[in-house]
Amino acid sequence: MPDDAARARQRTGTGIALALALVLGAVLVTGRPDDDSGPDADDCRPRTVASWSDDTALTDEFARYGDDAGRTDDWTGGDGTHSVRLPDGRLLWLFSDTFLGRVHRPPNPVGESYTWRDTTAPMVRNSAVLMRDGRLEGTLPAPLFPDPAPGQWRWPVAARVEARAPGSSEQVVKVLLWVRRDGQHPWIYGVPTATEVATLSLPDLRLESVVTVLDQQQVADPSRRVLFGTTLVEEDGWTYVFGGDDGRPASRPASHAYVARVPEGGLGDPAAWEFWDGSQWQTRARPRPVLGDGLRTGVGSAFSVARDEGTYVLFTMAAGAEGLTTVASYWACSPTGPWHGPAHRFTPALPGNGTAAYNPQTHPELSGDGRLVLSYDVNWLEMSAAAAMLSRNVSLYRPRFLTVRLGPRE
């Protein structure tokens, strides 16, 4: 996570950190479906959060599923919450660090009225859960994306359904992956190394392949490495892929946001990726930030972007100490900016003292009629106690959901 708050709650075998990918080499200017800075901004107007409320139905459904004591190898808690609608109507939920195993009815071993798990319960780096008609129905074999090498792991982020090849009627699921490896202080949440794209078959969701689209290992300073895929926005024949770097909390309370684009259907083709360099789209060029001064403005490691009535709206945890509890928003007429804000801030509910919120993510496939469904993850702040506390009360380490309505910024 990009800020102190996010970092404090992120790991302990839980949490999700944003990193991302850069490409080094010769610069080649390209221009496929269009060659301007973004979609037509004629309909763009300032937008901000007009209202928000708890989405208890979705939150309760993940609690129901995770608390089911009859299963021994399914999801009982996780973070890094992303989703994608499949062609048959099912919803695929993707998670980063995930607890599996059996849960036990209360009271827990210290006499509290919480559902709990053994501290020896397995934890994997990623998982996937299927939902049909609003009800979670099963966990795919986990981890879905195996570790690329000892001491390295994959965290899934945004995903979309695409044609297997241009012009093909067969569809597959493309999933963006962040690759990190073990590291020493200050990289206790892992050193960012690469962005990959995985292909899952349909309808059986079998992992077919993984390709590296952006390798960052040649970037000497890990804090300047960029991983892409925290959120996707589709518009005018392009898929806009947002990402960020890892801010160092001592000097940068907030990280920088970046954007790449890929012609529709080209996520898995490294040659199709283009990066915004501050003035134009280029391939094999060092991307430049589109948002963030590293202090008052910027993003958390995992943020989300939606498009509403011609305007791009970005949701992230606030910079500085507010990043423990508070979601902020920005708006722009183009994915490349300029981004305005932070605008409206709001503070969603937390399950108790000692916990913090992170990773606000929109879920377009559940949104509509003027509302956005937004999730946020919860974790225990004190790293030395986090693993024990998340087992002592399994309800802590699960996504919560909100309904957000946007309106004009006055």
Side-chain angles (χ1 to χ4, degrees):
M1 307 203 179
D3 47 39
D4 302 330
R7 292 178 183 275
R9 62 187 178 254
Q10 184 171 14
R11 287 266 50 88
T12 74
T14 62
I16 174 174
L18 176 57
L20 296 84
L22 299 175
V23 174
L24 302 178
V27 174
L28 174 64
V29 178
T30 65
R32 280 184 285 265
D34 59 64
D35 197 33
D36 52 19
S37 63
D40 189 348
D42 289 347
D43 297 328
C44 178
R45 301 290 186 273
R47 305 291 285 174
T48 189
V49 175
S51 66
W52 63 275
S53 60
D54 294 329
D55 188 330
T56 55
L58 269 172
T59 300
D60 290 349
E61 175 58 16
F62 276 90
R64 178 202 67 79
Y65 185 80
D67 284 349
D68 186 345
R71 303 187 315 273
T72 60
D73 59 353
D74 279 9
W75 184 98
T76 63
D79 73 351
T81 310
H82 289 79
S83 62
V84 60
R85 179 73 68 185
L86 304 181
D88 61 9
R90 293 176 298 168
L91 201 63
L92 177 67
W93 292 91
L94 296 164
F95 293 92
S96 294
D97 290 352
T98 300
F99 283 107
L100 303 174
R102 185 185 296 275
V103 297
H104 307 284
R105 302 295 185 191
N108 66 14
V110 295
E112 297 168 323
S113 58
Y114 299 135
T115 303
W116 59 284
R117 69 170 69 85
D118 293 325
T119 55
T120 57
M123 194 208 79
V124 294
R125 289 297 193 177
N126 59 75
S127 68
V129 184
L130 284 166
M131 174 180 278
R132 189 188 298 273
D133 299 327
R135 187 174 178 85
L136 295 166
E137 61 179 17
T139 302
L140 297 180
L144 181 59
F145 307 102
D147 294 344
Q152 298 184 27
W153 62 89
R154 291 174 167 129
W155 282 334
V157 280
R160 62 161 296 176
V161 174
E162 290 189 341
R164 178 176 290 281
S168 172
S169 61
E170 184 181 4
Q171 293 181 305
V172 294
V173 182
K174 296 293 178 68
V175 182
L176 276 293
L177 304 173
W178 293 344
V179 182
R180 300 180 84 91
R181 62 172 173 78
D182 292 335
Q184 303 298 317
H185 182 81
W187 306 106
I188 56 176
Y189 312 125
V191 178
T193 62
T195 301
E196 297 177 332
V197 174
T199 297
L200 302 177
S201 62
L202 285 170
D204 57 348
L205 298 171
R206 178 176 55 84
L207 177 61
E208 293 186 346
S209 63
V210 178
V211 60
T212 299
V213 293
L214 296 165
D215 190 336
Q216 291 293 272
Q217 296 181 82
Q218 300 306 312
V219 179
D221 182 355
S223 71
R224 297 185 178 279
R225 296 177 179 180
V226 183
L227 300 182
F228 284 93
T230 183
T231 186
L232 304 176
V233 179
E234 300 168 26
E235 192 67 28
D236 292 342
W238 293 98
T239 299
Y240 292 93
V241 188
F242 290 84
D245 55 30
D246 274 13
R248 293 176 183 257
S251 58
R252 275 200 276 156
S255 292
H256 301 97
Y258 302 78
V259 66
R261 69 178 186 179
V262 185
E264 186 175 351
L267 277 177
D269 179 6
W273 284 63
E274 301 177 355
F275 308 91
W276 185 250
D277 73 351
S279 60
Q280 58 189 342
W281 296 102
Q282 302 195 26
T283 64
R284 301 191 64 79
R286 185 179 185 87
R288 300 297 179 187
V290 296
L291 172 61
D293 61 10
L295 298 171
R296 189 186 69 86
T297 64
V299 295
S301 61
F303 59 94
S304 192
V305 178
R307 196 160 188 260
D308 181 70
E309 296 187 5
T311 303
Y312 290 83
V313 182
L314 183 151
F315 298 93
T316 183
M317 301 310 294
E322 284 188 306
L324 291 166
T325 59
T326 303
V327 177
S329 64
Y330 296 80
W331 68 272
C333 294
S334 164
T336 62
W339 287 92
H340 307 277
H344 184 91
R345 292 177 170 88
F346 62 94
T347 301
L350 286 170
N353 294 332
T355 60
Y358 60 108
N359 186 33
Q361 287 291 326
T362 59
H363 300 277
E365 58 284 325
L366 292 172
S367 305
D369 298 325
R371 68 186 184 95
L372 286 172
V373 172
L374 184 144
S375 66
Y376 61 99
D377 296 329
V378 173
N379 211 324
W380 193 259
L381 274 172
E382 177 52 52
M383 292 182 62
S384 62
M389 293 302 296
L390 299 183
S391 292
R392 180 168 148 180
N393 178 1
V394 299
S395 70
L396 296 178
Y397 190 55
R398 289 173 181 165
R400 272 72 173 169
F401 293 86
L402 306 171
T403 293
V404 174
R405 293 190 180 276
L406 300 175
R409 186 182 181 188
E410 299 178 356

